[in-house]
Amino acid sequence: MTLDEAIIHRRSIRSYDMEELEPELIDEFVDFLSELVVPDDSIEWNFDILPLDDMRNILNGIPRLQAPHYLVIRSEKIKNCLQNAGYIGEMAALWLTTRGIASCWQSTLEVEPEHDFEGVLPYVTTLAFGRSSEPFRKSADEIKKKKRLGAVAFGDMASPRKEIMELTWMAPSCMNMEPVRYLVDTHRIHIYRKNNKILKLNQFNYYQCLDVGVAMAHMEVAAKKYGYNVVFERLNPAPDLRKEIYQASAHLMKIEA
């Protein structure tokens, strides 16, 4: 299975076989993560892969979802770090899916610094993973309760941009709130976060910035499927989309044969 095929088949899975994965598979996963180029590569980040007992220790409690492994994403806490973390976690989830390994975002977990390991970058978010008897999706037709593509993406949707956006649209979001919006032109896809006038809580903003990074991962994988590399950039002045909050632009660059 390729990463773009994993977009279709992956879903959040919440029950796990508690047997740990083979060390060789974990090593391969670590290599994949270590080679990622995040949207903002000026930000320092790293990760830990922890077993359940270590996750209990840094949470100072039992995680709501118990799995044999947890990908803990860490970063210096500056602007755009949440987008990077969302990108890293979703690329991880897609890679695991290609290997038949289930995963589920645990973005609402919180780790207090006094319970974390000494000398590490600040905790950002977590992805639980392991083997499961629950099935992956068989097709995109199984995706339920999502806004239609035309409600979140606007502009020039000629091929292959439409196909790229169809795979990007499949990106999951915290609590299924779908905060990401897109403005598509000939060479760029501009990415926005919905300006929700009701939910102004910092915690919701935190989740939704992660969701932007998740969508960026899907967009990069989708673009490569259709022959494009993506360079993420931030334009100034920002392109306007009503009153939505501009996050980044994906410059689509044709891959030469």
Side-chain angles (χ1 to χ4, degrees):
M1 189 189 303
T2 60
L3 288 174
D4 57 89
E5 290 170 336
I7 287 177
I8 294 169
H9 296 294
R10 181 194 175 262
R11 68 179 184 86
S12 297
I13 290 178
R14 294 176 172 82
S15 65
Y16 291 88
D17 174 351
M18 294 305 295
E19 183 176 351
E20 293 187 2
L21 299 176
E22 300 83 355
E24 315 85 68
L25 183 59
I26 295 293
D27 288 344
E28 191 180 353
F29 185 37
V30 167
D31 288 344
F32 171 79
L33 294 171
S34 300
E35 292 171 3
L36 287 176
V37 178
V38 296
D40 188 337
D41 62 2
S42 69
I43 299 173
E44 185 180 0
W45 68 277
N46 58 31
F47 61 91
D48 289 320
I49 296 176
L50 302 181
L52 177 58
D53 285 346
D54 283 352
M55 198 68 203
R56 283 193 186 113
N57 289 337
I58 68 170
L59 287 171
N60 197 32
I62 300 172
R64 289 183 289 275
L65 189 155
Q66 297 189 47
H69 302 282
Y70 297 84
L71 171 64
V72 172
I73 300 170
R74 303 180 182 279
S75 173
E76 54 180 329
K77 292 288 190 76
I78 60 176
K79 185 177 180 181
N80 301 324
C81 71
L82 297 178
Q83 291 181 17
N84 278 0
Y87 171 93
I88 296 160
E90 189 63 11
M91 291 296 281
L94 295 176
W95 186 92
L96 289 165
T97 302
T98 69
R99 301 308 194 268
I101 307 301
S103 63
C104 188
W105 276 96
Q106 301 295 287
S107 42
T108 59
L109 293 182
E110 296 182 14
V111 174
E112 299 297 333
E114 60 266 27
H115 298 138
D116 208 349
F117 303 118
E118 292 185 7
V120 296
L121 286 170
Y123 171 89
V124 179
T125 193
T126 295
L127 184 81
F129 67 96
R131 288 198 170 87
S132 175
S133 59
E134 290 188 34
F136 291 125
R137 282 195 299 251
K138 293 181 179 178
S139 73
D141 294 336
E142 294 181 26
I143 299 175
K144 307 295 183 184
K145 298 181 180 179
K146 281 186 75 71
K147 296 178 176 70
R148 60 185 178 82
L149 178 59
V152 298
F154 312 94
D156 184 355
M157 299 287 281
S159 182
R161 293 180 290 280
K162 181 176 184 294
E163 290 79 6
I164 292 171
M165 287 310 309
E166 284 171 344
L167 288 177
T168 304
W169 166 84
M170 294 181 193
S173 59
C174 186
M175 303 178 190
N176 296 318
M177 295 186 71
E178 298 183 68
V180 189
R181 300 290 182 269
Y182 311 91
L183 179 62
V184 184
D185 66 31
T186 306
H187 299 294
R188 288 179 175 83
I189 300 172
H190 308 294
I191 306 165
Y192 303 79
R193 179 164 51 90
K194 186 170 175 57
N195 188 3
N196 195 315
K197 298 178 177 61
I198 299 173
L199 297 175
K200 291 294 185 181
L201 297 175
N202 286 339
Q203 200 66 19
F204 280 108
N205 289 332
Y206 189 94
Y207 301 151
Q208 293 181 0
C209 288
L210 287 170
D211 291 341
V212 170
V214 170
M216 292 166 93
H218 277 230
M219 188 177 295
E220 181 178 292
V221 170
K224 284 185 178 177
K225 173 180 171 61
Y226 291 101
Y228 290 85
N229 283 323
V230 166
V231 175
F232 291 109
E233 55 193 7
R234 288 168 178 85
L235 304 182
N236 188 12
D240 183 54
L241 179 63
R242 300 177 299 200
K243 295 184 178 180
E244 312 298 20
I245 303 168
Y246 176 69
Q247 302 290 287
S249 295
H251 189 179
L252 302 179
M253 306 183 72
K254 187 70 175 174
I255 298 172
E256 299 297 331

